[in-house]
Amino acid sequence: TVTVCTVDGEFALGVLQNKPSAAGQPATVEIGGITKIVAGEAITAGAVVATASDGGARPAEHTATGADTGDWILGQALDTVTQAGQLVTVLLGINYRVTS
């Protein structure tokens, strides 16, 4: 079973690649490499990304002081998107937690 992230900065094992039609149906999860993620807000190429509360991605440096303490970093954006709902290409596998 998989659960979609619902909290900014939440730990995510990977990115859901399909949309199972019902509970108990197979889910495909990308855990490393290059994938597309629905952006929860604008993201600039090169930014490290974390989960957004809508299950998408957001730049981890979304505050004036940088990444939020406690955020889990999923990877790095390889292109730029200008608004929520667009697909951003991300290099996964850079998992670490921001501690300060």
Side-chain angles (χ1 to χ4, degrees), residues 20-72:
S21 59
Q25 295 297 311
T28 303
V29 178
E30 181 71 39
I31 60 171
I34 297 173
T35 192
K36 300 274 188 178
I37 304 175
V38 176
E41 60 184 85
I43 300 173
T44 303
V48 292
V49 296
T51 57
S53 59
D54 62 3
R58 65 169 174 77
E61 293 94 357
H62 75 294
T63 65
T65 58
D68 288 340
T69 298
D71 273 1
W72 282 94

